[in-house]
Amino acid sequence: MIAVASSSAHSQPPADAPQSSQRQDDELDGRSIEYWIEQLASDSYSRRQRSSVILEKAGNQAIGALAEATKSGDFEVITRAIRILQRLAVRQSIEDEGGAVEELTRIAADSVGSRGVVARDALSNIVSMRSDQAYEALNEAGVFIGQSTFVPTSPRMMALIRIDDAWNGDVDVLRWLRWIRDIDTVVLNDKACRDDVLIHVSRMPALTNVQLNNGDLSRRGLESLTNLQQIRVLIFNYVQFDQQPTDTIVRLPLVESLRMFGTNLDSEGAETIRDTFPGVLMEITKGAFLGVQSDMTATECRIQSVISGGAAEKAGLIAGDVIIELNGKPIKDFFDLKDEIAKADIREEIEIKVRRGPGDDANEIVLKAVLGRQDVQ
């Protein structure tokens, strides 16, 4: 027989709760939880099976006794008790880390030998099942999960989650994000770029890369990112903050790069952030966009391609043009061009001098462009 800790099943029910007492008695078939725990070690297979079914029906009131039973040393009892706890854990809310989930987590962390192995296997099964449920629920809600680009200027594909206008707007379904354990990158666009969505996103256990596009955030949303262990890449494209975000951003666990493009961060805040993260790659600009691509290793600023619909195309710039001046300032290479554009505002008109044509036949022409916004969808 197995010695177990006293269960609340032995306490006398309050006089004003006869229905609850009767229901508990029915669930346990008129016996105590201790009795059914003891039957887990029965020589009769059918008896062991019945005790498992009844203890599972007993639910939360059996959790403490089941956890205690895993200390018995009997592998059959350990296995059955943990499997019952696993099934009870699956019945909990997806955000509830107490109850059976808490007991299994404690057993897995504190135990060696078969007890710990079985508990860790149970937790792994729970995570796997929850993960499958999460993928299904999020896909049904219009959340994109798959391969896509992350950094706007890079064509590289990677596994990520993107929440945008295809999402049905159900915030409650985003609770499932905490069970996505194998994706570290999230993009929030437009209507999804807001506090309540970001708070759910920040609960993803593997999250390290975050891009937020075309939205509004408050301190409450930003604060959720301070709970992450590490942020490798953080991108804000045309995000407006309800107040200067400097105090929160300097507390983020940034380790690789920060891009703030077209936000309302002031210049003083930008300098403070740069000083706080001297080893982090920074790109903080007002968000103006010309729309050209160039070879960054070249010793001149020769345009390789012009982005369709952008300010450069509208101004008449073409591939092969070499930009030599912007607003009268010499441009030696693509980095000079980026530096000057970074100082400009969206909708600002700029004057660009280019050299067009081959060799000695090249002509210098002056064009005017009205800077726009980058498409970050």
Side-chain angles (χ1 to χ4, degrees), residues 58 61 82 91 112 116 120 124 167 183 192 240 244 252 269 354:
Q61 61 181 316
I82 287 177
R91 281 161 35 183
V112 295
R120 286 188 286 274
S124 178
W167 169 51
I183 293 180
Q240 300 303 298
Q244 284 300 305
L252 297 178
V354 302

Side-chain angles (χ1 to χ4, degrees), residues 144 146-151 155-161 184-185 209 232:
F144 173 86
Q147 294 285 323
S148 186
T149 56
F150 176 56
V151 178
R156 186 169 72 89
M157 304 288 283
M158 61 192 301
L160 57 77
I161 289 175
D184 63 8
T185 302
N209 306 313
R232 291 196 302 109

Side-chain angles (χ1 to χ4, degrees), residues 215-217 219 222 234-252 254 258-277 281-288 342-346:
D216 298 283
L217 293 176
R219 182 182 296 274
L222 277 180
L234 179 59
I235 300 173
F236 298 98
N237 289 320
Y238 305 110
V239 173
Q240 300 303 298
F241 304 101
D242 70 334
Q243 57 185 293
Q244 284 300 305
T246 310
D247 291 346
T248 305
I249 289 177
V250 296
R251 292 190 289 109
L252 297 178
L254 287 167
L258 171 66
R259 170 185 165 105
M260 300 189 72
F261 198 72
T263 73
N264 57 337
L265 175 72
D266 61 27
S267 56
E268 182 179 352
E271 287 305 311
T272 299
I273 291 170
R274 289 190 178 97
D275 291 343
T276 302
F277 301 104
L281 181 64
M282 294 276 174
E283 184 178 5
I284 302 177
T285 75
K286 296 179 179 180
K343 301 172 186 176
D345 292 310
I346 299 170

Side-chain angles (χ1 to χ4, degrees), residues 121-139:
D121 181 62
L123 285 174
S124 178
N125 289 337
I126 292 169
V127 169
S128 179
M129 188 200 71
R130 291 296 200 195
S131 179
D132 290 343
Q133 291 176 313
Y135 273 85
E136 182 178 356
L138 291 165
N139 276 315

